[in-house]
Amino acid sequence: MNPNSSENLFDHRPLLMLAPMQGLTNRLLRQWFIDHVAPDLVFTEFVRVQPRSRKRVTRSDLSEVGSHGAETPLVVQLIGHGERPLCEAAEALQSAGARHLNLNLGCPYGRMSSGVTGGELLRDPLKLAALLGKLRGQIKVDFSIKCRAGYDDPRQIFELLPIFADCGIDWLILHPRTVEQAYAGRADHRLTAEVAADCPLPLVANGDINDVATGLELLEIPGLSGLMLGRGALADPFLFERLRSRQVEPPSDRERSMQLQGFIGAVLAGYQEQFCGERQVLMKIKKLINFIPDPSRQRVLGKMKRAQSLEKFSRLLQDL
């Protein structure tokens, strides 16, 4: 049996995954999560497939895939369009060592200069089916999809499920909003439960899983194979541990402060080594703290977002 097959991947259910988040889940941030809370899988940021360049994937993306040495599986998420560019990108990534490939069918901002990508691909299911069939023929490793419930109709997912199964997709991540909704409203996990009952593939729930109670409630859904944590994991980086231990009670104020200081401080130190110049480091770390809503600490977090130097930022970090 292929060691990268979905059968092996989902032998131990449920899986808890760190979501791909553009501009956020870089190598350093993924490594912090691997070292401290051990997600079952981690994802790259978007690997953008170049439609017109002979090099479909950048050298840095190929290098990042090849250098992933952790035991935690790395899923490479492709975003792009066109059968030939995507197939050639998949071939290059597999040659670089990728063992898990994922196609983004969920990004609500999915238009590149020369064609539709992400959630926009849901507008034409027949073309999508042809694309997935070609990709499945090229991809010899584990192949999954991250998908919205539909383009403008959340019930479209029930038309898509047979397409995914017929094309040989190994497993599916569902974010139960439409593409047109973007991030408005709430993810409708009543729909997730309906899909789980009808889905022929292992199904992973994604969207607005921001606390232990929500996660545990979703894990009670029959047929659900796992959870993907995104913004909730940034807001509470120990959410993975709390879910595993079923710790519904939030941490004490002191514990929360210590965890946030340790998390932000460790990522900041890594960014200072990886990124070039104070301005870039500040930009990256401020983007991270934009995803940490904490009413009791908003005053300090707000000052950190406005800090103009790393020295000032670091002093404010101690005030958390």
Side-chain angles (χ1 to χ4, degrees):
M1 182 180 290
N2 181 353
N4 302 303
S5 70
S6 61
E7 286 87 353
N8 282 341
L9 195 62
F10 289 94
D11 274 351
H12 304 288
R13 305 185 188 190
L15 298 184
L16 300 181
M17 309 177 182
L18 178 65
M21 290 171 280
Q22 186 60 17
L24 290 161
T25 50
N26 51 60
R27 178 178 58 81
L28 283 169
L29 191 68
R30 294 196 305 265
Q31 194 61 50
W32 185 93
F33 278 92
I34 289 170
D35 291 343
H36 292 84
V37 294
D40 296 302
L41 286 87
V42 294
F43 280 65
T44 63
E45 301 172 79
F46 290 161
V47 171
R48 296 186 183 276
V49 176
Q50 306 303 316
R52 298 186 179 183
S53 171
R54 285 185 303 170
K55 294 182 178 179
R56 300 300 189 185
V57 181
T58 66
R59 184 178 298 176
S60 62
D61 282 334
L62 291 174
S63 175
E64 186 165 342
V65 170
S67 64
H68 181 75
E71 290 186 7
T72 303
L74 174 67
V75 184
V76 181
Q77 185 176 80
L78 295 169
I79 187 164
H81 65 91
E83 291 177 4
R84 182 174 176 181
L86 280 165
C87 285
E88 290 178 353
E91 182 178 7
L93 287 160
Q94 289 173 100
S95 296
R99 295 294 173 261
H100 303 273
L101 294 178
N102 177 272
L103 181 65
N104 183 299
L105 297 180
C107 179
Y109 311 111
R111 180 173 288 275
M112 296 174 76
S113 59
S114 57
V116 298
T117 63
E120 289 276 333
L121 290 168
L122 298 182
R123 283 188 165 203
D124 193 333
L126 289 179
K127 283 187 179 179
L128 177 60
L131 171 64
L132 293 176
K134 289 287 187 180
L135 264 176
R136 178 72 275 185
Q138 181 63 53
I139 295 173
K140 309 306 180 188
V141 297
D142 183 59
F143 181 29
S144 59
I145 282 174
K146 186 174 187 291
C147 190
R148 290 292 178 114
Y151 184 78
D152 55 12
D153 175 10
R155 310 294 299 180
Q156 185 187 4
I157 186 63
F158 295 101
E159 302 170 21
L160 296 171
L161 290 178
I163 293 175
F164 297 157
D166 290 346
C167 290
I169 303 305
D170 291 307
W171 50 283
L172 174 66
I173 305 152
L174 176 66
H175 183 134
R177 284 184 174 93
T178 64
V179 176
E180 285 196 339
Q181 274 183 278
Y183 295 98
R186 296 283 299 174
D188 183 3
H189 285 297
R190 294 170 300 179
L191 180 62
T192 303
E194 281 190 67
V195 173
D198 199 42
C199 187
L201 312 174
L203 181 69
V204 175
N206 173 236
D208 294 336
I209 307 172
N210 298 325
D211 55 61
V212 176
T214 300
L216 292 179
E217 183 177 350
L218 286 171
L219 290 174
E220 293 298 319
I221 294 174
L224 195 70
S225 297
L227 304 178
M228 172 175 277
L229 309 179
R231 298 177 181 213
L234 299 184
D236 178 5
F238 286 86
L239 183 56
F240 287 94
E241 285 193 345
R242 297 189 216 289
L243 277 165
R244 290 190 184 106
S245 63
R246 306 180 70 87
Q247 182 187 336
V248 178
E249 284 296 314
S252 69
D253 192 65
R254 176 177 171 77
E255 183 183 10
R256 169 73 170 164
S257 291
M258 292 177 65
Q259 289 177 348
L260 281 182
Q261 284 177 338
F263 173 55
I264 297 170
V267 175
L268 177 62
Y271 283 2
Q272 288 176 279
E273 292 183 8
Q274 176 167 331
F275 297 116
C276 183
E278 185 171 25
R279 184 173 180 273
Q280 188 180 24
V281 173
L282 278 170
M283 179 184 69
K284 289 284 187 181
I285 199 69
K286 287 178 182 181
K287 185 166 186 176
L288 173 61
I289 64 173
N290 279 336
F291 289 87
I292 302 178
D294 193 315
S296 65
R297 294 168 179 81
Q298 278 308 302
R299 183 169 172 272
V300 177
L301 288 169
K303 288 182 177 181
M304 291 167 72
K305 294 174 192 177
R306 296 189 295 272
Q308 297 300 307
S309 71
L310 287 172
E311 180 183 4
K312 176 68 171 176
F313 186 96
S314 297
R315 286 204 308 269
L316 289 166
L317 179 58
Q318 302 310 309
D319 292 338
L320 275 179

